[in-house]
Amino acid sequence: MKLHIFNPEHDIALAANLSNYTAPHVGRQLRSELGFIPALWADDGDFVLVDDVPAAVEHIRHVRKYAADVLFVTLDDLTQFAGFTPGELIVCPWGWDRSLARQLKNAGIPDKLLPTDNHIETIRLLSNRSWAAKTLLPSLVQLSHKMVGKAVYYTSIDMLAQAIGRDFNCVLKAPWSSSGRGIRYIHSEENWQRNITWIKNVIARQEGIMCEPYYNKVKDFGMEFESDGTQVRYVGLSVFKTVNGAYTGSVVATEEAKLEMLTHFVSSDLLEWVKEEICNRLSSNFCRIYQGPFGIDMMIVRGQKEDDFMLHPCVELNLRRTMGHVALSFNATDEDPQRLMRIVYDGRYHLKISDTNENVINNSLI
């Protein structure tokens, strides 16, 4: 059996790196109101941790046909798991961080079911944007002249300012951040000056900052994977929409339909090379360190000519479950219409799955 936990505040908890961490209101509200969604990828008989069991039962009613037959539990119920062994129960959060591990331990989950402090620190270091930028991105870009991508980690504002010079067409990112937060687009001297305080704060709190060229993006997408401790397995494509870097929705469609959306711009061979290289490179030391789902965000960008497109194969590595994994859990078939999975806010957060009669390949939905 498994105990599933939706902790969407995970990325900012990694940045804080505190055992006793209180997430911002938005993160706490997301976790409270969408805590039921692990039922979409869980197995029958698994447990899902929620804040309010009756509320979770009501919320899941809207997606019941996609969900497993799970048992919702609260923190107060976790004392019943004190006698379980790792062979009997596996704890499966959205992502591991110090705050979640302490919360579960305080609620009664035994140490033998939780990762060690050293293991969590390793996950945190691998989740830093600089790790993928140094370790994975260069090898992927070398696969083809149709690839593009560069990201550099700076530990002082003076080093960053010297590197940028008078070229203000760049993107700055905090090493750890969540859903578009922690990103600034620098396009002028004035814009640089307005963000100096933010830049200094990021470097002070996270010991560095990422700088990337600004690319003329055409489409966001990602590849989703899973590590079982022995090898990395490719799970599927994620085609999604962002606004100012923040996630707004995912396409729910067959792999063939999603691939068609992308091969309008880049070849399927190019995508296959990237997938194989990621699986091969990460099925060694990385695989032994991290077990669980993860995703790599990518994008298609415009080249020097109007009809020339390039692939950025590693915008960031998300060492956790992603909304792309959630969309894949709906198991789309050829008979299903293309659908959109969105998180909608109307004072409360809702998971919405809506059919679209339009062909999302050729409209602005993605």
Side-chain angles (χ1 to χ4, degrees):
M1 294 183 295
K2 295 179 180 179
L3 170 64
H4 298 275
I5 305 160
F6 178 56
N7 55 314
E9 75 281 7
H10 165 70
D11 293 303
I12 50 177
L14 283 180
N17 198 28
L18 299 172
S19 295
N20 296 311
Y21 172 70
T22 300
H25 174 73
V26 171
R28 299 197 308 273
Q29 187 177 3
L30 271 168
R31 180 172 178 174
S32 177
E33 294 171 356
L34 297 181
F36 68 93
I37 68 171
L40 297 172
W41 59 84
D43 295 322
D44 289 345
D46 283 351
F47 300 96
V48 175
L49 181 66
V50 296
D51 285 355
D52 185 319
V53 171
V57 171
E58 172 60 23
H59 290 152
I60 203 171
R61 183 174 60 83
H62 304 287
V63 289
R64 169 55 67 185
K65 65 179 179 179
Y66 305 111
D69 185 11
V70 300
L71 179 64
F72 293 120
V73 295
T74 67
L75 281 173
D76 290 339
D77 299 318
L78 295 188
T79 54
Q80 68 182 290
F81 298 127
F84 279 106
T85 67
E88 295 171 324
L89 182 73
I90 302 173
V91 182
C92 301
W94 187 257
W96 278 115
D97 51 71
R98 292 179 64 190
S99 175
L100 178 66
R102 174 61 64 88
Q103 184 182 53
L104 295 177
K105 181 176 181 177
N106 290 345
I109 297 294
D111 287 341
K112 59 191 174 185
L113 297 180
L114 301 173
T116 65
D117 289 344
N118 286 341
H119 191 188
I120 291 177
E121 180 59 21
T122 300
I123 289 174
R124 181 175 183 269
L125 293 175
L126 294 179
S127 299
N128 187 312
R129 283 188 167 102
S130 66
W131 186 85
K134 295 175 183 177
T135 308
L136 189 57
L137 178 58
S139 67
L140 295 175
V141 171
Q142 291 174 7
L143 289 175
S144 168
H145 69 281
K146 299 295 290 183
M147 302 278 202
V148 67
K150 180 183 179 182
V152 182
Y153 181 72
Y154 295 100
T155 57
S156 77
I157 192 168
D158 291 337
M159 294 171 59
L160 175 62
Q162 183 177 1
I164 292 176
R166 306 302 299 175
D167 182 10
F168 292 104
N169 200 25
C170 64
V171 184
L172 303 180
K173 299 180 179 180
W176 295 278
S177 62
S178 174
S179 189
R181 299 175 180 87
I183 297 177
R184 295 290 188 275
Y185 296 90
I186 306 299
H187 49 74
S188 67
E189 170 73 28
E190 179 184 5
N191 184 249
W192 165 265
Q193 292 297 332
R194 284 202 307 267
N195 282 285
I196 282 180
T197 299
W198 176 82
I199 294 167
K200 290 180 178 178
N201 287 338
V202 169
I203 293 173
R205 294 170 182 169
Q206 301 193 23
E207 301 181 351
I209 195 166
M210 302 299 300
C211 181
E212 306 173 8
Y214 176 82
Y215 296 103
N216 187 359
K217 182 174 64 179
V218 176
K219 195 170 297 296
D220 285 303
F221 76 103
M223 291 185 182
E224 310 300 343
F225 300 88
E226 180 130 12
S227 166
D228 64 4
T230 302
Q231 65 178 0
V232 167
R233 178 176 63 90
Y234 173 72
V235 178
L237 284 170
S238 168
V239 180
F240 56 92
K241 182 179 180 181
T242 61
V243 176
N244 295 325
Y247 170 86
T248 58
S250 294
V251 173
V252 178
T254 63
E255 287 301 292
E256 291 75 13
K258 288 180 288 187
L259 186 61
E260 184 180 353
M261 298 175 197
L262 303 178
T263 53
H264 181 72
F265 304 99
V266 296
S267 72
S268 59
D269 286 343
L270 193 64
L271 297 171
E272 184 67 22
W273 292 339
V274 170
K275 178 182 72 176
E276 290 182 358
E277 180 70 8
I278 290 171
C279 289
N280 290 337
R281 285 192 64 83
L282 297 185
S283 290
S284 54
N285 291 337
F286 170 91
C287 195
R288 289 192 291 271
I289 295 170
Y290 178 80
Q291 291 88 50
F294 67 94
I296 297 179
D297 289 347
M298 306 178 183
M299 63 182 175
I300 297 169
V301 303
R302 199 173 296 279
Q304 294 183 346
K305 298 180 181 179
E306 183 66 22
D307 59 349
D308 182 33
F309 301 99
M310 308 283 285
L311 173 62
H312 191 313
C314 183
V315 177
E316 66 180 35
L317 166 69
N318 293 304
L319 210 59
R320 54 168 171 76
R321 193 174 293 275
T322 69
M323 295 308 293
H325 284 96
V326 180
L328 287 169
S329 67
F330 289 97
N331 298 318
T333 68
D334 291 330
E335 289 72 33
D336 295 325
Q338 290 175 349
R339 292 167 289 172
L340 292 173
M341 182 191 78
R342 296 176 296 141
I343 294 177
V344 178
Y345 180 73
D346 61 4
R348 299 181 65 183
Y349 288 100
H350 308 273
L351 183 71
K352 296 287 188 181
I353 310 296
S354 57
D355 294 346
T356 173
N357 293 324
E358 299 179 67
N359 185 342
V360 297
I361 297 174
N362 297 316
N363 67 22
S364 62
L365 292 173
I366 61 169

